[in-house]
Amino acid sequence: MPMNKKKVFKLAKGFYGRAKNCITIARPRVQKALQYQTRDRIVKKREHRESCIVAVNAAVRQYGIKYSAFVYGLQMSNIGLNRNMLTELAKNEPYSFRAVVDIVARRLMSETKEKPNLALQPFAAAFYSGTAAPASKMEALD
């Protein structure tokens, strides 16, 4: 369906060469640009979701839990935080995120026979065993 000439030229602002002022060239370029725009809105959401998953996975693995187990534990614990909120907690509120991970880890230990792999970080074992966590990573390694 052909678009109005004024609308085409309005949408073609910023295009190079005759694509901005020649209707026979501008019309298909504008139509293709609108297709890219629609596609890229979906891609943007997909990439944001992936980056949130990567950030939460990296944060959770510090405590010896896999991302998939963590998400399962969130569902079992009835914690309704979405990926964006978990990412913000992991980046800006590490103590709050650690508390969420602790709740999930305890739920995973009680619900499943598998325990989180606490050998990934030396200080995680002390944290989940109920004893005081070392003040720094270097104390845990000694």
Side-chain angles (χ1 to χ4, degrees), residues 25-39:
I25 298 171
R27 185 172 281 132
R29 295 273 175 93
V30 166
Q31 288 174 347
K32 193 65 173 179
L34 292 174
Q35 289 173 1
Y36 286 144
Q37 182 184 23
T38 303
R39 179 198 68 189

Side-chain angles (χ1 to χ4, degrees), residues 10-116:
K10 186 176 180 182
L11 292 172
K13 273 190 179 176
F15 287 7
Y16 288 110
R18 291 193 306 162
K20 68 176 171 277
N21 55 13
C22 182
I23 191 66
T24 57
I25 298 171
R27 185 172 281 132
R29 295 273 175 93
V30 166
Q31 288 174 347
K32 193 65 173 179
L34 292 174
Q35 289 173 1
Y36 286 144
Q37 182 184 23
T38 303
R39 179 198 68 189
D40 290 341
R41 278 196 302 268
I42 297 167
V43 170
K44 179 181 175 183
K45 292 172 186 146
R46 181 187 313 144
E47 289 176 353
H48 179 70
R49 180 177 187 263
E50 289 174 2
S51 68
C52 286
I53 290 172
V54 167
V56 172
N57 188 19
V60 165
R61 289 206 182 236
Q62 289 180 347
Y63 303 110
I65 302 174
K66 293 180 182 177
Y67 175 77
S68 58
F70 179 69
V71 172
Y72 175 72
L74 283 173
Q75 291 174 351
M76 297 301 291
S77 303
N78 291 328
I79 297 175
L81 295 174
N82 60 17
R83 288 183 194 90
N84 290 333
M85 293 307 298
L86 289 170
T87 304
E88 290 299 316
L89 278 177
K91 289 180 181 176
N92 301 325
E93 296 285 336
Y95 294 113
S96 301
F97 185 75
R98 190 172 183 171
V100 171
V101 171
D102 185 33
I103 293 168
V104 169
R106 288 183 184 163
R107 182 68 176 203
L108 285 173
M109 285 184 195
S110 67
E111 288 289 326
T112 64
K113 302 296 180 195
E114 284 186 36
K115 292 188 177 181

